[in-house]
Amino acid sequence: MQRIANLLAVKDGQVLLLQKPRRGWYVAPGGKMEIGESIYEAALREFHEETNVTAHNAFLKGVFTMIIKSGEEIVDEWMLYTFMSRDIEGEPYVETREGIISWQSIEAINTLPMAEGDRSNLLFAALNKGVQYGTFEYTEEFELIKQTIQVSVE
């Protein structure tokens, strides 16, 4: 099972997002974890590699199971660990091979093109206390079939 860690930087009511070239969808910068790497290390590393920005004091905001189905058959599954940081330094790239990096208002998450699970995940991370957990089931075309979400607050 693939493990993915991403990080949402929030500053002055805006979030730093990456627009992927394939679908034009926005995502929080992140990527695949390396063998032996913690989810925290992966989130910080991937965020820096994709944005040129260093995140400090990151904290976990979500743990998700992502499932792709063809009919009733599961054809892919991965885990997604989402972190957030309000303490960042550096100037982001404008564009990399991964896509276009830009600051967007938190409210824009409601309307930007993205996977619906990501929309739910990123809005929660930017606006709410606690940690969100869930499972998102998609078709092979990334249409949301079903979501199950739980939240814990300390």
Side-chain angles (χ1 to χ4, degrees):
M1 177 184 302
Q2 191 75 36
R3 299 170 302 145
I4 307 292
N6 64 4
L7 189 142
L8 183 67
V10 179
K11 184 177 180 180
D12 300 327
Q14 295 191 313
V15 292
L16 189 60
L17 298 177
L18 173 64
Q19 186 179 23
K20 301 292 267 182
R22 183 170 162 221
R23 286 193 176 98
W25 286 6
Y26 287 81
V27 299
K32 298 173 186 171
M33 293 175 58
E34 295 177 357
I35 293 173
E37 188 174 43
S38 76
I39 58 175
Y40 186 83
E41 292 167 332
L44 294 179
R45 178 187 53 76
E46 283 286 344
F47 180 79
H48 185 263
E49 285 177 5
E50 291 190 351
T51 67
N52 193 46
V53 174
T54 300
H56 302 286
N57 303 311
F59 49 96
L60 186 66
K61 291 299 293 181
V63 179
F64 306 97
T65 303
M66 312 300 267
I67 296 172
I68 305 295
K69 291 177 112 178
S70 177
E72 291 303 310
E73 179 186 353
I74 295 174
V75 295
D76 199 8
E77 180 180 20
W78 67 94
M79 296 296 300
L80 172 64
Y81 304 94
T82 296
F83 288 81
M84 187 178 109
S85 177
R86 296 182 191 281
D87 183 5
I88 59 169
E89 69 176 294
E91 285 299 315
Y93 297 127
V94 173
E95 187 169 0
T96 70
R97 63 180 177 85
E98 295 293 332
I100 298 169
I101 298 155
S102 62
W103 287 101
Q104 301 287 332
S105 70
I106 293 171
E107 295 78 28
I109 296 171
N110 288 299
T111 56
L112 288 170
M114 66 179 61
E116 289 305 314
D118 286 352
R119 187 179 320 281
S120 171
N121 176 13
L122 298 180
L123 283 169
F124 178 88
L127 298 173
N128 297 283
K129 293 188 181 295
V131 179
Q132 187 178 51
Y133 312 90
T135 301
F136 295 94
E137 294 182 20
Y138 292 98
T139 66
E140 292 178 284
E141 293 77 35
F142 269 89
E143 294 173 16
L144 185 63
I145 300 169
K146 179 182 173 186
Q147 67 180 17
T148 306
I149 295 178
Q150 304 86 32
V151 174
S152 65
V153 179
E154 186 175 315

